[in-house]
Amino acid sequence: MNKLNRRLFLVSGLAAGGAVAVPHFAGAAAPAPAAVRDPFNLGVASGDPRPDGMVLWTRLATAPLDIGGGMGTRTVPVEWQVATDEAFGTVVASGTESAVPADGHSVHAEPRGLPAGAEFFYRFRADGFISPVGRTRTAPAPGSTPAALTFAFASCQHFEEGWYHAHRFMAADQPDLILFLGDYMYEKASGSANRVRWYVDFDEVDALGEYRLRYAQIRTDPDIRAAHAVAPWLAVFDDHELKNNWWGVSSDAPAARKQAAFQAFWENMPLPKAMRPVNSAIPLYRRVSWGTLARFHMMDTRQYRWKQPPAGNCAEFTRTDRTLTGAAQEQWLLDGLAAGGSRWDFLGQQVFFAGRDPDGATGTCDGSTDSWEGYRASRQRITQGWVDRAVRNPVVLTGDVHRHWANNLRLNYFDQDSPYVGTELVTSSVTSGGDATETTPPQVPNNPHLYYVGNHRGYVRVRAGSGQLTAEFMKVSSVQQRSGVTNTVRNRFVVLDGEPGVRPA
Ligand code: FE
Ligand code: CA
């Protein structure tokens, strides 16, 4: 057990013993009525770090798998504290939020005025109970140049298809940041014979109470709680947080269902209050800067996309006005890239970016319709956009496909002589698909810009410095075994400053 985990254990153990007076919270702890139970069963999280603060999250549930989480209709005051040390000897910020039933008793506290580029610890108190302790940090000051940044990114974690070992290993890594790129939950039960556990509600979810219950069940897993508690997250959704392959205004994802899915996502993620859904829309795309070293453009590739083109329909595949991002987000992205001043520009997004045409023949239009391949003009405008703006190091970060990939990006994927103009790193699934055997997909021999592919579960960890970026594709030996599981670097590549594309480390 590392130091932080030990601390988490000690603090939650303390709280589990009943109501306790904690010396560093202002005033005496209000003694809890005997009937009141510990509401901190879903853990703590932080996210969207800024130079002077971040979002601190928790959600109260005395009975996570009961409808309503056991909280009833109460509004509960929740105190929060930020300290520079795990023992909370030096508290530097504190406040109180109201956990209300309309928001699933979630808390999104936003301390301000903290020093930049620093590590902090935080905790909550409600009903006389103290939450587990989380570790977080502020982003470096604008204009400052940190020596390095470490982050992990992950996606696709069907709860039923495996154990969350990857999250335990990510927590042990103690990165500065964790990016989650979509498919945090799945709307349907697994059809796999390999499922290791079952949803409480195994019907397809489409209502707020059902989406909430699904997130609550996911957070009953201690490994994912550890990953949330160890570092700030940047979370975006893909399709399954609502329904499979939904797009824009798709008629089979009506407004009420969208509103429910987005509300549950916002309630359960460490997202700022400003990102609270309004009716059936959520302002998901946003930017986070890490001094002059890195900038994360967190994208939304679902809410504004056109419908996927029909497979084989070249007129639709190549239609020049097709969009995956919508016009406003595209302009926002290109304007952000044009701002310059960042060594690494990461595009945190969901679906496969590089060309991945099965036969490498331009006239067949048989690639994945849900990925950027089905929105070629949209991909072209963005790629040409960063080339025209002389972006120093564009790196696309991707989830969705349940395989690791490392790709070299081109302006024309059907011209094998066209130069590399960027890099894509794709993380495999945390669990989705379960244990797999390594096979080479048929697209690989026809697409030489696809540099590496690995078919196993895991995540990717990145260390970005001024001269190079190192990406480690992590392999979790099994998600179906409960114990005795190993975490190994399956492959390691570097991207050199100013030289697009991956190369051996
Ligand atoms: Fe997935
Ligand atoms: Ca083709």
Side-chain angles (χ1 to χ4, degrees):
M1 205 182 274
N2 67 33
K3 193 179 169 199
L4 182 67
N5 285 343
R6 193 162 55 240
R7 177 70 196 168
L8 293 173
F9 175 77
L10 286 173
V11 173
S12 53
L14 191 65
V20 285
V22 172
H24 302 296
F25 265 115
V36 175
R37 290 179 290 161
D38 183 359
F40 294 110
N41 293 296
L42 301 178
V44 300
S46 70
D48 282 46
R50 304 148 26 94
D52 72 338
M54 73 295 288
V55 180
L56 306 178
W57 175 95
T58 191
R59 183 180 154 208
L60 307 183
T62 54
L65 302 184
D66 275 6
I67 307 303
M71 299 303 296
T73 56
R74 290 196 302 146
T75 289
V76 183
V78 182
E79 299 164 85
W80 55 268
Q81 284 185 326
V82 179
T84 54
D85 62 314
E86 292 178 64
F88 289 82
T90 307
V91 172
V92 292
S94 60
T96 303
E97 295 282 325
S98 284
V100 300
D103 287 336
H105 292 97
S106 63
V107 174
H108 305 72
E110 296 177 71
R112 294 287 163 95
L114 297 173
E119 180 186 68
F120 299 97
F121 299 87
Y122 63 95
R123 64 183 178 184
F124 300 88
R125 182 169 71 175
D127 282 346
F129 290 88
I130 308 295
S131 76
V133 172
R135 165 189 180 255
T136 189
R137 58 191 312 118
T138 46
S144 70
T145 304
L149 155 68
T150 60
F151 67 91
F153 65 102
S155 82
C156 295
Q157 51 177 24
H158 200 301
F159 181 79
E160 297 182 323
E161 293 185 0
W163 301 104
Y164 288 161
H165 300 302
H167 284 293
R168 188 175 67 256
F169 294 129
M170 268 189 273
D173 292 341
Q174 301 204 354
D176 295 326
L177 264 179
I178 293 175
L179 275 63
F180 201 88
L181 299 179
D183 292 358
Y184 188 96
M185 61 88 103
Y186 284 71
E187 81 282 16
K188 286 184 179 175
S190 172
S192 169
N194 293 331
R195 78 213 294 194
V196 300
R197 49 186 169 178
W198 287 62
Y199 285 140
V200 171
D201 171 8
F202 39 80
D203 291 336
E204 179 167 347
V205 296
D206 62 3
L208 178 56
E210 298 172 344
Y211 284 113
R212 279 177 175 160
L213 181 58
R214 190 122 323 161
Y215 284 101
Q217 189 173 10
I218 288 169
R219 293 288 173 77
T220 61
D221 185 297
D223 290 338
I224 199 168
R225 290 203 306 274
H228 275 293
V230 82
W233 282 40
L234 297 177
V236 285
F237 55 65
D238 190 21
D239 54 339
H240 289 287
E241 287 88 348
L242 172 53
K243 75 175 290 285
N244 185 43
N245 281 1
W246 71 275
W247 61 276
V249 293
S250 49
S251 56
D252 57 349
R257 187 174 182 183
K258 272 189 185 167
Q259 184 170 352
F262 298 164
Q263 174 70 18
F265 182 78
W266 178 80
E267 287 175 0
N268 285 284
M269 292 294 153
L271 301 174
K273 291 186 178 84
M275 284 176 63
R276 199 176 198 290
V278 177
N279 298 324
S280 60
I282 181 171
L284 188 65
Y285 64 82
R286 73 255 192 218
R287 202 170 271 129
V288 168
S289 294
W290 212 258
T292 64
L293 183 61
R295 201 161 33 201
F296 294 89
H297 311 263
M298 303 304 293
M299 294 171 62
D300 178 344
T301 59
R302 288 290 160 193
Q303 277 191 96
Y304 315 107
R305 68 156 72 197
W306 286 9
K307 186 174 174 58
Q308 295 83 355
N313 185 330
C314 281
E316 279 299 320
F317 263 72
T318 59
R319 189 169 159 172
T320 56
D321 50 357
R322 283 191 71 74
T323 184
L324 189 70
T325 59
Q329 182 179 193
E330 180 179 305
Q331 195 59 53
W332 166 88
L333 176 63
L334 294 178
D335 289 348
L337 290 168
S342 183
R343 184 61 53 103
W344 304 95
D345 277 283
F346 296 103
L347 281 63
Q349 57 96 49
Q350 295 77 48
V351 291
F352 205 90
F353 193 84
R356 196 170 48 133
D357 188 273
D359 55 9
T362 184
T364 46
C365 300
D366 47 359
S368 161
T369 60
D370 189 61
S371 73
W372 289 87
E373 192 69 11
Y375 301 79
R376 290 186 194 172
S378 194
R379 176 174 65 196
Q380 193 72 19
R381 286 191 300 274
I382 288 168
T383 311
Q384 189 69 56
W386 79 53
V387 171
D388 292 346
R389 286 159 183 77
V391 175
R392 185 165 178 155
N393 293 299
V395 179
V396 178
L397 306 175
T398 305
D400 183 50
V401 286
H402 307 178
R403 276 191 166 98
H404 284 324
W405 296 80
N407 305 325
N408 299 318
L409 301 178
R410 289 182 151 135
L411 281 165
N412 181 358
Y413 295 100
F414 294 104
D415 174 6
Q416 296 187 3
D417 294 324
S418 81
Y420 298 145
V421 298
T423 310
E424 180 178 24
L425 307 172
V426 183
T427 185
S428 188
S429 61
V430 169
T431 55
S432 302
D435 292 344
T437 49
E438 298 269 2
T439 53
T440 300
Q443 299 98 330
V444 170
N446 294 322
N447 293 274
H449 55 274
L450 304 178
Y451 189 81
Y452 161 68
V453 58
N455 188 16
H456 46 75
R457 309 289 70 82
Y459 62 101
V460 180
R461 58 189 192 195
V462 174
R463 183 184 190 280
S466 59
Q468 69 175 50
L469 168 162
T470 304
E472 294 179 318
F473 290 82
M474 307 306 295
K475 176 177 181 172
V476 172
S477 62
S478 172
V479 296
Q480 281 154 235
Q481 290 174 24
R482 191 72 187 94
S483 59
V485 170
T486 60
N487 186 41
T488 53
V489 179
R490 177 67 182 78
N491 238 313
R492 181 186 287 115
F493 303 109
V494 298
V495 182
L496 300 181
D497 174 35
E499 298 184 38
V502 286
R503 55 188 74 212

